[in-house]
Amino acid sequence: MPDVMKTVLLNPPSFENFDGGASSRWPATREIESYWYPVWLAYPAGLIPGSRLVDASPHKIDWKQTIEICKSYEFLVLYTSTVGFYSDIKLIRKIKEANPGLKIAFVGPHGHIKPEETLNASEDIDFVVRGEFDHSVAEFAHGKPLETIAGACFRKDGKIVMNTPRPQLHTAELDALPFATDAYKRDLQIDRYNVPFLLHPFVSFYTTRGCPAMCTFCMWPQTISGHAWRTRSVDNVVQEVKNTLEYFPQMKEIFFDDDTFNIRRDRAIELSQKFKPLKFQWSCTARCHSKYEELKAMADGGARLFIVGFESGDPQILKNIKKGATIEMAREFMKNCKKVGIKVHGDFIIGLPGETKETINNTIEFAKELDCETIQVSLAHAMPGTELHDQMSKDGFLRVEALADSGGHQLPHIEYPHLSKADMMEGVNRFYDEYYFRPRVAWRIVREALWDSHERKRLYHEATSFLKLRAERWKWVRQGGDIDKTIISVPGASSVSGND
């Protein structure tokens, strides 16, 4: 075996416009085409000399091109998701046919939750890594035997062996990792990544791992990253920011894609103070516990927008999902964000435990009161490995196990005796209509694009995609929510195998 195996790290093609890869917390084909960066794969890509990071969906690399690429490699690290898993299994069968000697590792939450089931799904998979996989796959590429690699799960003598878990990385180890943006510069095109509420083009990476919040529906803290909040040093983060500004002069903002950037007040303030002289715009995920002083420091340091999960306007639902935040906290937070000039993209969920038609109405009114710059309204999804999944399964509310349709679009799969799937989808549709079809909100969005032709084109594309989806969803609701068809038609949608 050579000193270092020739390695390709793959965010695989599956459904058209599918964003299910290595930093997508909610794997699905989006209503408006958008992609997050494959951050989790970028770190081992930097640890393995001569490797290549392939992010198929945003770069429009299809399954045939992927197979051709993999012919030149000895080791494939594939990031899989629950939604895309069986498509990925079909893909690696064809890859193995073209390159029989290729070693294949599956990484990501699905394999972490179900390592034995993942291995048993295909003999083409040589091993699965549970938890953080940066060093596990790098050690294999450098020739270390599977038996000695922490976190690895593999077959031996007809049985599945599960090695001891790998300890989580903390500050010193996180600082020692290569920068994700080095792999982006080498292998990715940043203009391929679009998220509607972020400036385009943007670049994203992490400053921390893990999240201490106990939200029952959130996948990553309950699978790969855990609840232990582990930070990179401030100086290490600042150095990557400086590199990013140098690498990508066309970039309009940096997005800090931590599970929650603002967990600790003193760190958020210190980072913001060191960002200030660099004079760049940035956005991040945030919880609504930050007070005025912290928000002012972040705004002064270049903060433009926060993504905040408000989830519901009903106090009991927030308790049911262990949100650790209250309605009053959200109101104060939004008031202070407006004072300091930071925009907020609010996330809301319909169908969480305790939901009724009345609580849906309350959440819509609450969202209007908060008046976030933009919103996202999702159907509750009980992802495998989460407390919500266990609860819904135990209570008998998981009516359909499938998380997505044949095009990778999100399907409503929770249903209550008092609230049907169609009722919840109607709630999502009405939420968007009542929120966005207010004149001042529509004007606020259009105003941003008036003087920028690039933003005008992007807004037009996003608006037409949204309106098409809206029409399909209302049709789905009128038909009772039980029609076996995709929520939004995708011409020629098929899995990567070509054998469906």
Side-chain angles (χ1 to χ4, degrees), residues 275-294:
F275 289 163
K276 187 174 181 178
L278 301 179
K279 300 184 186 305
F280 72 102
Q281 292 190 103
W282 54 277
S283 298
C284 69
T285 53
R287 285 175 65 83
C288 64
H289 65 261
S290 293
K291 304 299 183 183
Y292 177 81
E293 181 186 2
E294 180 182 350

Side-chain angles (χ1 to χ4, degrees), residues 308-324:
V308 181
F310 296 110
E311 322 309 357
S312 175
D314 184 80
Q316 186 56 51
I317 289 177
L318 295 179
K319 292 178 182 177
N320 293 345
I321 61 172
K322 302 180 182 179
K323 183 64 186 178

Side-chain angles (χ1 to χ4, degrees), residues 56-273:
S57 288
H59 291 81
K60 306 303 180 187
I61 297 172
D62 63 22
W63 64 275
K64 291 181 180 178
Q65 293 168 309
T66 301
I67 293 167
E68 195 62 34
I69 289 169
C70 290
K71 286 180 181 178
S72 303
Y73 289 88
E74 301 166 295
F75 179 33
L76 166 64
V77 179
L78 187 147
Y79 189 100
T80 192
S81 67
T82 298
V83 175
F85 179 69
Y86 289 104
S87 175
D88 298 340
I89 291 297
K90 293 176 182 179
L91 173 63
I92 62 168
R93 177 82 292 270
K94 291 190 174 293
I95 289 174
K96 276 276 195 174
E97 288 173 0
N99 185 358
L102 184 73
K103 298 296 183 182
I104 298 178
F106 267 35
V107 297
H110 186 86
H112 172 89
I113 300 159
K114 303 177 179 180
E116 292 190 39
E117 182 179 310
T118 300
L119 281 169
N120 287 333
S122 172
E123 293 186 359
D124 294 324
I125 304 172
D126 291 284
F127 67 101
V128 171
V129 180
R130 301 190 71 202
E132 295 175 347
F133 53 85
D134 317 78
H135 290 289
S136 297
V137 296
E139 287 171 359
F140 183 79
H142 282 84
K144 194 171 183 180
L146 272 177
E147 291 82 358
T148 64
I149 297 177
C153 306
F154 58 98
R155 303 178 201 83
K156 185 176 182 180
D157 300 328
K159 297 180 180 179
I160 291 179
V161 177
M162 298 181 65
N163 289 351
T164 56
R166 181 174 291 276
Q168 291 181 322
L169 304 180
H170 289 267
T171 300
E173 296 94 341
L174 292 173
D175 282 0
L177 289 173
F179 291 149
T181 46
D182 290 342
Y184 301 168
K185 182 175 184 291
R186 185 188 71 188
D187 292 332
L188 306 181
Q189 300 170 32
I190 71 166
D191 63 312
R192 299 278 188 166
Y193 295 87
N194 175 68
V195 172
F197 46 83
L198 297 180
L199 302 180
H200 182 267
F202 75 100
V203 169
S204 70
F205 56 87
Y206 305 146
T207 79
T208 65
R209 289 189 181 183
C211 180
M214 303 302 291
C215 306
T216 62
F217 59 87
C218 194
M219 180 173 66
W220 278 6
Q222 297 180 77
T223 57
I224 285 185
S225 61
H227 286 295
W229 193 65
R230 296 157 290 127
T231 66
R232 293 168 55 186
S233 68
V234 168
D235 288 344
N236 183 257
V237 173
V238 170
Q239 186 57 58
E240 184 161 20
V241 167
K242 290 178 178 177
N243 288 9
T244 303
L245 295 172
E246 179 184 343
Y247 291 165
F248 309 109
Q250 75 275 37
M251 175 191 70
K252 291 186 179 177
E253 77 175 326
I254 293 176
F255 179 70
F256 298 116
D257 199 11
D258 307 15
D259 286 325
T260 310
F261 179 86
N262 66 328
I263 287 291
R264 206 175 74 211
R265 174 180 173 276
D266 62 319
R267 183 174 185 272
I269 291 175
E270 184 181 0
L271 277 168
S272 299
Q273 289 172 340

Side-chain angles (χ1 to χ4, degrees), residues 312-315 317 327 331 348 350 355-369 430-431 434:
S312 175
D314 184 80
I317 289 177
I327 302 297
R331 287 178 175 137
F348 298 89
I350 297 295
E355 193 79 276
T356 65
K357 291 182 179 180
E358 182 182 1
T359 61
I360 291 173
N361 292 335
N362 293 342
T363 299
I364 293 173
E365 293 306 312
F366 178 60
K368 291 182 196 175
E369 176 192 343
R430 187 161 50 83
F431 202 138
E434 291 191 25

Side-chain angles (χ1 to χ4, degrees), residues 26 35 77 113 192 198 220 260 272 313 315 321 326 374 386 400 422 461 466 470:
W26 203 292
Y35 301 102
V77 179
I113 300 159
R192 299 278 188 166
L198 297 180
W220 278 6
T260 310
S272 299
I321 61 172
T326 66
T374 52
T386 64
V400 181
H461 172 73
F466 172 75
R470 176 179 177 271

